[in-house]
Amino acid sequence: MDRETLDFSTAFFQDFENSPEDFPGDRVDFIDKSDSFTYSQFFRDYLLPNRPCVFSAEFTKDWSSRKFWVTQDGKPNLERLLQEFQGAAPVPVANCDRREYNSHPKELLPFPEFVEYWREFISNGHRSSRGCLYLKDWHLSRAFPEREFYSIPVYFSSDWLNEYWDAVGADDFRFVYMGPKGSWTPFHADVFRSYSWSANVCGRKRWLLYPPGEERFLTDIHGNLPFDLTAPEFRDPRIYPRSGRARAPLEIIQEAGEIVFVPSGWHHQVHNLEDTISINHNWLNGCSVGRMWRFLREELGAVRRELSRWHGPDRHDPLQCQLLLKSCTGIDFPEFYNFLRLLAESRLALLENRECSSWENSPGSATGLGTPQNSQSSVPALETPQNSQGSVPTLGTPQNSQKSVLSLNSQSSVPTLETPQNSQESVPMLETPQNSQSSVPTLGIPQNSQNSVPALEIPQNSQGSVSTLETPQNSQSSVPSLNSQSSVPSQNSQSSVPSQHSRGSVPALGIPDAVFDLQRLAAVLRSFIANREFQRLPAPSPPPPELLRRLEKALDTALLGIPHSRHSRDSQDSQFPEEFGKSRPS
């Protein structure tokens, strides 16, 4: 993101605080060229207005899964999958021929049993007495952390959802789906009103999408959303009295290799038109965190109304309401505050105690976060590793840093506080201490490592903010790689922007992105502090007003130090350029 895009987004949220989106009609933007479509263009034209789009197969052509999980004729390579995941734990499988409430019932099956079922299902003309089974929500990256099946395109790398759940070690929202022709997913919106992206490794899908707000016309007489938009009963006005007022859904046919971006709050239903394998992420960032906060308030209101039916108005305990909210949504207000706090701390680590005026957004550069070697501040930056065998960014911090460290164990993603030798302060930062002998987990790789793990630092005598790569010397602990060996779409045509591996979550997009994130975090935190229900709960630590003051102070300093770039490609017209993509009929 450049300064102009930051200014554009700041003005957008001042005037359009999560405003309703325009329905895009019966066409979807199709982004064809991976080497010329920038992150800032995606940010302005799709993230901010919350509009869907499709990325061409060019963006996934180097994924190892597309090379090895697919036969020469484009079908799922069941023999290779069976060989590769023979020892996998039982996988979640849904029966698409049955309904349980508003979903498909699931069971756990051994992976070889599912593959054998799939083979028989195909040979029987896509029929089975067991029904149409669909392997869904398989946490494959978490199950095989040492394997690299794909890389995350830079457009989706600002992933607050997985960054938080990786840090607390509780869960992740990265899934693999495998299913035969005829398998499908019922009508729904993604968790927490998050975004999602879905890439077809092979096969074809049909998507039916409705923008936020349109679902009010799709409920039945009891207020429930439909299970299946294609069922005859959905057209029955006695059951769905307002369905005739709804627009026709936006329809997308997704081909092999293509990626569908589903915006926040868009309800959708998906059908596999062929035997299909797909990789899917739920994620959110500053553009959609306001929708997440509004969603939690609405869900808490529903909990309070339901309790009022049984106990009378205003006779429900706040803690009981939060317990029920978490059981319904997976998160409550105290955890939402921890979510905001952890994300804010990681970005404050990039901005506090730093001379932002030295940062430059040079033309054609991939914006990076830089602190020279021997710096007295441990702000993460991008640097080139000594003796590194690859060119993939890794997590690290300059030598001789005087700050203490927020570090991650390679065996667990729960953050811990660690202080390097000669530390003079205790401010949590991302860092790897030199020659650390402590058993406290740290971020880094040993010198001469054959793996390339992204570090955040700029080399000595660097004249700009171009992202480079480094691994700290003599680090005694290792960390899982945050990248894939496959190529990643560049942020602009002059330089390549590092993307993160499917398990990575540390943003590497630059200072303006950190400033934007803090702006949105501060805006939501102000609303959160003023919320009456939150005020009735035990006060968290640190106190929210104290965290807000830190955010506002860092923003005041950072905004003064980010220059305007008059020569950046991204500072030109914010409209979607014809040269970068095309629209195609649904």
Side-chain angles (χ1 to χ4, degrees):
M1 181 192 298
D2 56 24
R3 175 57 189 258
E4 279 66 34
T5 304
L6 175 61
D7 292 342
F8 185 88
S9 62
T10 302
F12 179 92
F13 279 110
Q14 285 179 347
D15 297 332
F16 309 102
E17 182 66 30
N18 295 322
S19 62
E21 298 80 5
D22 292 330
F23 194 78
D26 61 350
R27 303 180 72 87
V28 58
D29 286 331
F30 184 69
I31 301 167
D32 194 19
K33 301 179 180 179
S34 63
D35 60 349
S36 55
F37 184 69
T38 69
Y39 175 80
S40 288
Q41 287 168 323
F42 176 70
F43 187 94
R44 289 193 305 258
D45 297 335
Y46 300 102
L47 279 183
L48 284 179
N50 206 44
R51 294 173 65 88
C53 62
V54 178
F55 293 83
S56 74
E58 176 76 14
F59 291 82
T60 63
K61 65 180 181 181
D62 293 319
W63 288 7
S64 63
S65 54
R66 289 203 60 205
K67 295 178 180 178
F68 302 118
W69 295 0
V70 185
T71 62
Q72 291 185 350
D73 59 352
K75 305 297 183 182
N77 190 335
L78 299 183
E79 292 299 329
R80 174 63 184 250
L81 291 170
L82 189 59
Q83 176 185 356
E84 196 163 351
F85 303 117
Q86 181 75 31
V91 294
V93 174
N95 189 330
C96 298
D97 290 345
R98 294 176 56 196
R99 176 176 178 175
E100 191 172 87
Y101 300 103
N102 243 29
S103 187
H104 293 136
K106 283 185 178 180
E107 62 177 323
L108 291 175
L109 292 180
F111 185 74
E113 181 178 336
F114 174 76
V115 172
E116 183 60 30
Y117 155 82
W118 195 356
R119 184 183 288 113
E120 293 177 358
F121 190 83
I122 294 172
S123 64
N124 290 334
H126 290 86
R127 293 187 302 272
S128 172
S129 59
R130 299 178 65 179
C132 183
L133 303 185
Y134 193 6
L135 193 164
K136 297 173 60 177
D137 301 325
W138 186 16
H139 295 267
L140 186 64
S141 290
R142 195 171 67 190
F144 295 89
E146 75 288 353
R147 308 282 287 280
E148 296 175 345
F149 311 111
Y150 61 100
S151 59
I152 299 177
V154 68
Y155 316 106
F156 317 130
S157 58
S158 180
D159 181 350
W160 293 14
L161 195 61
N162 286 299
E163 181 180 348
Y164 173 74
W165 261 273
D166 283 350
V168 299
D171 202 354
D172 75 335
F173 291 87
R174 310 177 183 100
F175 311 106
V176 168
Y177 283 36
M178 298 183 181
K181 176 182 177 180
S183 52
W184 63 289
T185 300
F187 189 64
H188 71 288
D190 287 311
V191 61
F192 309 138
R193 296 298 183 264
S194 62
Y195 303 123
S196 65
W197 62 266
S198 177
N200 273 0
V201 174
C202 63
R204 301 171 73 235
K205 291 179 183 286
R206 179 188 181 219
W207 293 74
L208 303 173
L209 298 99
Y210 280 100
E214 196 70 12
E215 69 274 8
R216 68 187 184 276
F217 299 121
L218 307 177
T219 54
D220 63 16
I221 55 177
H222 303 294
N224 300 315
L225 287 169
F227 174 68
D228 181 5
L229 291 174
T230 65
E233 67 178 27
F234 180 61
R235 300 302 171 192
D236 188 341
R238 295 169 299 178
I239 302 175
Y240 294 92
R242 296 194 292 174
S243 62
R245 299 169 57 187
R247 303 170 187 254
L250 177 66
E251 183 171 342
I252 298 172
I253 301 299
Q254 179 188 16
E255 305 292 341
E258 295 181 346
I259 305 174
V260 171
F261 166 62
V262 181
S264 170
W266 281 62
H267 283 74
H268 51 283
Q269 182 170 318
V270 189
H271 294 259
N272 289 328
L273 304 178
E274 298 175 355
D275 297 297
T276 302
I277 300 174
S278 63
I279 292 169
N280 308 268
H281 282 208
N282 293 120
W283 59 292
L284 57 84
N285 59 22
C287 296
S288 56
V289 67
R291 293 186 182 89
M292 180 181 183
W293 172 223
R294 184 170 59 195
F295 166 72
L296 291 177
R297 298 198 308 268
E298 291 171 352
E299 290 296 307
L300 181 61
V303 167
R304 288 170 55 87
R305 288 191 297 272
E306 187 65 24
L307 288 176
S308 296
R309 293 177 56 193
W310 299 96
H311 304 293
D314 300 324
R315 294 188 59 187
H316 26 73
D317 178 62
L319 293 178
Q320 182 187 21
C321 289
Q322 293 298 316
L323 180 64
L324 293 173
L325 175 65
K326 188 164 187 175
S327 68
C328 294
T329 67
I331 190 171
D332 56 15
F333 278 22
E335 185 164 32
F336 182 66
Y337 174 68
N338 286 334
F339 172 81
L340 300 175
R341 179 186 58 79
L342 185 145
L343 293 162
E345 291 287 357
S346 69
R347 282 134 186 88
L348 285 169
L350 308 181
L351 299 177
E352 286 184 338
N353 305 317
R354 173 181 165 75
E355 288 291 332
C356 289
S357 59
S358 63
W359 178 84
E360 293 183 22
N361 185 13
S362 57
S365 69
T367 57
L369 309 174
T371 302
Q373 242 180 352
N374 303 317
S375 168
Q376 300 305 303
S377 174
S378 63
V379 177
L382 291 171
E383 186 170 11
T384 306
Q386 299 182 8
N387 305 315
S388 174
Q389 301 302 310
S391 60
V392 182
T394 63
L395 277 176
T397 302
Q399 299 177 23
N400 305 319
S401 172
Q402 301 302 308
K403 304 285 185 183
S404 70
V405 183
L406 180 63
S407 56
L408 301 176
N409 189 320
S410 60
Q411 302 301 316
S412 171
S413 58
V414 179
T416 60
L417 272 176
E418 178 179 2
T419 305
Q421 294 181 351
N422 305 317
S423 171
Q424 303 301 318
E425 298 188 39
S426 60
V427 180
M429 310 292 290
L430 281 171
E431 187 173 30
T432 303
Q434 190 178 9
N435 299 317
S436 173
Q437 302 300 318
S438 170
S439 61
V440 180
T442 61
L443 267 175
I445 339 188
Q447 196 176 6
N448 304 319
S449 170
Q450 300 303 308
N451 294 324
S452 49
V453 180
L456 299 171
E457 189 167 10
I458 285 187
Q460 284 183 319
N461 304 318
S462 174
Q463 301 302 312
S465 62
V466 179
S467 303
T468 55
L469 308 168
E470 179 173 28
T471 304
Q473 297 182 12
N474 304 318
S475 173
Q476 301 302 310
S477 65
S478 63
V479 73
S481 171
L482 297 181
N483 75 290
S484 170
Q485 295 177 2
S486 58
S487 65
V488 182
S490 60
Q491 186 170 351
N492 55 47
S493 57
Q494 280 78 31
S495 66
S496 178
V497 172
S499 126
Q500 299 161 312
H501 179 267
S502 54
R503 296 178 299 278
S505 59
V506 178
L509 292 174
I511 291 289
D513 294 270
V515 171
F516 169 75
D517 287 357
L518 289 184
Q519 286 178 336
R520 300 300 299 137
L521 287 165
V524 173
L525 192 57
R526 291 187 195 100
S527 175
F528 194 64
I529 292 171
N531 182 266
R532 182 179 176 183
E533 290 300 317
F534 178 65
Q535 293 171 354
R536 298 173 65 189
L537 299 174
S541 180
E546 177 184 320
L547 178 60
L548 182 59
R549 283 192 295 271
R550 289 180 62 201
L551 296 183
E552 292 172 337
K553 180 180 178 181
L555 283 170
D556 288 343
T557 303
L559 286 170
L560 293 175
I562 302 179
H564 289 271
S565 171
R566 297 300 180 190
H567 305 289
S568 170
R569 312 167 44 97
D570 294 338
S571 66
Q572 299 172 8
D573 187 0
S574 66
Q575 298 301 312
F576 187 79
E578 188 66 28
E579 61 182 295
F580 295 130
K582 60 189 178 185
S583 293
R584 68 175 185 188
S586 59

